[in-house]
Amino acid sequence: MENYGRSKNGAEAQTVLNCIDLSSPDIQQSVSLLKQACLDCGFFYVVNHGISQEFMEEVFSQSKRFFKMPLNEKMKVLRNEKHRGYTPVLDELLDPDTQVRGDYKEGYYIGVEVPEGDPESEKPFYGPNVWPAPDCLPGWRETMERFQREALEVAKAVARIIALALDLDADFFDKPEMLGQAIATLRLLHYEGQISDPSKGMYGAGAHSDYGLITLLATDEVAGLQICKDRDAKPQLWEDVAPMKGAFIVNLGDMLERWSNCIFKSTLHRVLGTGRERYSIAFFVEPSHDCLVECLPTCKSDKNPPKFPPIKCETYLSQRYKDTHADLNMYNKQQT
């Protein structure tokens, strides 16, 4: 299924991903295609997901409006301890073993909105968001909140197919302690147009796997995303993932790999800058803070016992964020 030959941005191949049509009445075919993708590389396209193309274009347009603001304006909404707000270029270091500096991208985190004073806001990934001033970007907050709502419904629809592919009830992930009270994080991303050079440790986004359950990624037409199906291969083989208009690129996270006892794959991926400016929108979906992630009953046997101990979602995610983001005190020093 792959077309071999080195591409302009250093990948050895262009991968062809399975495509899941959420409007298809043939659920068995969707389960089969998704299962094949999850066993192979953990990446697939999702089309006919119910979010209109017009609205997707509006979300991208609003994202561009924010990133085109002067840096001093963007720094007024710098991310806080709860990972809400602006993340400057080089703020995130995803692959410390090979990256000389942080990622050549800037971003904006928007999480589950819980007002201050609400007991739920004490949880690490709940709380009030940081928003640009409405007079600066009218309609911006409303657009992003609507996208969050609609994208969560897409994620739940995908999770139902994943459940069936794991021989679980379709509503397994719909429970309150799972996606009923999801930790859902929207992240707007902007790559400014640098050319990455892996030989010098320079990347748009360093090689990493996502932390959680699943990620929905919407991209513009600019390529850059690459996956490595076998992280232990020497040398690693990197394959380009082509953008697909109107589709989400969906990938599984480490939490689902852990849940499935490594039956389903959470795959290394990275972004290489090609010299063209690139925008993307990632929607990270994890279960509730209190969800205990332990080996699924359908994924273990006497011959294949659980590979990981149970862990609370909150504990797991907090450590992963801490490991990959710069200390916020660094920015306070820069501004004094």
Side-chain angles (χ1 to χ4, degrees):
M1 289 177 77
E2 281 95 23
N3 307 311
Y4 285 90
R6 187 172 291 274
S7 69
K8 284 186 292 187
N9 58 349
E12 288 85 352
Q14 169 112 0
T15 195
V16 179
L17 301 180
N18 283 355
C19 189
I20 315 298
D21 182 346
L22 287 189
S23 68
S24 170
D26 188 348
I27 190 69
Q28 282 315 118
Q29 187 197 28
S30 297
V31 169
S32 175
L33 285 169
L34 180 141
K35 188 169 189 173
Q36 185 184 33
C38 294
L39 292 169
D40 175 45
C41 66
F43 272 76
F44 49 92
Y45 296 112
V46 164
V47 296
N48 295 323
H49 42 66
I51 302 181
S52 73
Q53 188 60 33
E54 292 77 17
F55 182 55
M56 287 303 308
E57 286 167 8
E58 171 65 14
V59 179
F60 272 98
S61 170
Q62 293 279 26
S63 173
K64 288 176 186 174
R65 284 175 64 203
F66 172 78
F67 288 119
K68 287 189 186 305
M69 293 197 325
L71 181 61
N72 65 323
E73 287 297 314
K74 291 184 284 194
M75 289 301 283
K76 289 177 183 175
V77 284
L78 179 68
R79 71 172 170 89
N80 59 21
E81 293 288 353
K82 289 206 169 190
H83 296 281
R84 309 298 177 92
Y86 176 61
T87 56
V89 174
L90 307 180
D91 179 76
E92 193 171 14
L93 185 69
L94 289 166
D95 185 11
D97 291 340
T98 60
Q99 283 181 267
V100 174
R101 303 181 74 187
D103 291 351
Y104 281 88
K105 68 175 190 291
E106 54 182 346
Y108 200 98
Y109 279 116
I110 302 165
V112 177
E113 180 78 31
V114 177
E116 226 162 322
D118 186 313
E120 289 286 293
S121 72
E122 299 300 312
K123 293 180 175 177
F125 297 97
Y126 281 0
N129 281 302
V130 175
W131 298 105
D135 55 341
C136 231
L137 294 173
W140 200 87
R141 173 176 178 170
E142 291 74 14
T143 298
M144 297 308 162
E145 289 186 324
R146 178 185 159 193
F147 179 74
Q148 274 186 305
R149 290 192 300 272
E150 295 194 14
L152 184 57
E153 290 310 306
V154 178
K156 287 178 177 178
V158 172
R160 289 180 196 116
I161 303 174
I162 290 172
L164 291 170
L166 287 166
D167 297 321
L168 301 164
D169 292 337
D171 63 355
F172 179 84
F173 293 110
D174 285 336
K175 298 179 184 120
E177 69 272 19
M178 293 189 191
L179 298 186
Q181 295 174 326
I183 299 171
T185 305
L186 171 60
R187 195 171 187 200
L188 312 174
L189 294 163
H190 174 223
Y191 300 84
E192 291 181 325
Q194 285 87 356
I195 297 176
S196 296
D197 186 345
S199 68
K200 293 181 180 169
M202 292 170 59
Y203 299 86
H208 65 286
S209 53
D210 289 348
Y211 317 149
L213 187 68
I214 57 172
T215 304
L216 310 182
L217 181 73
T219 72
D220 61 13
E221 74 288 351
V222 179
L225 177 64
Q226 298 181 338
I227 64 173
C228 172
K229 292 179 185 176
D230 182 0
R231 66 177 69 205
D232 298 320
K234 298 279 191 292
Q236 290 177 333
L237 173 74
W238 288 92
E239 303 175 53
D240 288 318
V241 176
M244 183 188 286
K245 191 174 176 69
F248 280 113
I249 299 167
V250 181
N251 66 280
L252 310 185
D254 296 344
M255 199 178 287
L256 187 54
E257 181 175 275
R258 186 180 179 121
W259 233 329
S260 71
N261 214 18
C262 297
I263 291 171
F264 280 2
K265 301 282 188 292
S266 172
T267 295
L268 273 186
H269 50 286
R270 68 186 187 185
V271 174
L272 290 197
T274 60
R276 291 181 66 191
E277 191 176 30
R278 179 177 181 268
Y279 289 89
S280 65
I281 298 165
F283 187 67
F284 302 98
V285 182
E286 346 286 8
S288 77
H289 286 78
D290 298 321
C291 181
L292 192 66
V293 179
E294 57 184 333
C295 185
L296 295 166
T298 56
C299 298
K300 61 184 176 184
S301 65
D302 290 342
K303 289 182 181 171
N304 186 26
K307 295 176 173 62
F308 307 97
I311 190 168
K312 224 161 96 165
C313 178
E314 172 186 328
T315 309
Y316 179 76
L317 286 179
S318 296
Q319 188 56 50
R320 292 295 300 271
Y321 271 87
K322 188 166 173 284
D323 289 344
T324 54
H325 287 73
D327 185 340
L328 281 170
N329 292 322
M330 179 180 85
Y331 298 112
N332 296 332
K333 287 172 190 160
Q334 286 175 1
Q335 290 169 9
T336 54

